[in-house]
Amino acid sequence: MVSRIYDISVNRLNGQPVSLQEYAGKVLLIVNTASACGLTLQYAGLEALQRKYAEKGFTVLGFPCNQFGAQEPGNAEEIAEFCSTKFDVSFPLFEKIEVNGPHTHPLYALLKSAKADAEGIADIKWNFAKFLIGKEGEVIARYAPQTTPETLVADIEKALG
């Protein structure tokens, strides 16, 4: 398993590969997203955080996932269109990935091994689970799907220093 977040490559929603090294030195909020979920309205809060803190070295990274109730059925173009028109999303979105099971993306294997949930469970329980990553690439905190982006302000500000 990869031991550093910056050693992992992911594909942008358009299929273009990118190393997470591109985000070194930034505070990140990594979220598994879905367009047809009861928590989908969290896109608005995530975008508000992005706009408020981007110039201070923060970014949200969205990873669409269809593993929970098939709530992200769209292809890359449909996901991009939905996020753009419904929530004016400006933060980076990546290709659909799996966050649990035998095809877990290496990023989520690393995140889950670094920080279990409040009940000590590593697996992701639902869409919109969130991981706060510090400037050095360390996993600072993990938040349950129901935790709204607005409640993360103090933690983000602390991580930004």
Side-chain angles (χ1 to χ4, degrees):
M1 181 171 68
V2 179
S3 61
R4 284 180 5 108
I5 192 169
Y6 301 133
D7 295 333
I8 297 172
S9 289
V10 293
N11 291 332
R12 295 191 188 280
L13 202 51
N14 65 9
Q16 176 187 7
V18 61
S19 169
L20 290 179
Q21 181 65 40
E22 180 178 311
Y23 300 100
K26 292 187 178 234
V27 173
L28 307 174
L29 187 65
I30 298 176
V31 186
N32 61 305
T33 60
S35 299
C37 173
L39 301 175
T40 298
L41 293 178
Q42 286 191 23
Y43 268 121
L46 294 170
E47 182 59 23
L49 292 175
Q50 177 69 24
R51 291 177 191 249
K52 182 173 183 176
Y53 295 108
E55 290 183 11
K56 296 179 181 176
F58 170 81
T59 193
V60 174
L61 302 180
F63 289 88
C65 179
N66 196 40
Q67 285 188 285
F68 305 102
Q71 294 180 343
E72 187 56 272
N75 61 32
E77 294 78 24
E78 291 167 334
I79 293 168
E81 175 74 14
F82 175 84
C83 290
S84 174
T85 59
K86 298 285 186 193
F87 296 100
D88 197 23
V89 166
S90 64
F91 57 82
L93 293 168
F94 299 88
E95 283 185 342
K96 261 197 262 193
I97 63 168
E98 291 191 15
V99 299
N100 290 331
H103 302 291
T104 298
H105 190 282
L107 172 60
Y108 271 81
L110 177 65
L111 294 173
K112 294 186 312 182
S113 71
K115 193 73 78 174
D117 71 9
E119 297 170 358
I121 298 169
D123 273 350
I124 304 298
K125 289 184 180 174
W126 200 251
N127 305 305
F128 292 91
K130 300 158 200 71
F131 290 87
L132 184 63
I133 311 301
K135 294 178 184 178
E136 302 298 320
E138 73 280 14
V139 179
I140 295 173
R142 177 175 174 167
Y143 307 96
Q146 298 80 3
T147 303
T148 61
E150 297 80 5
T151 63
L152 307 181
V153 167
D155 290 351
I156 291 168
E157 289 179 352
K158 181 178 178 186
L160 287 168

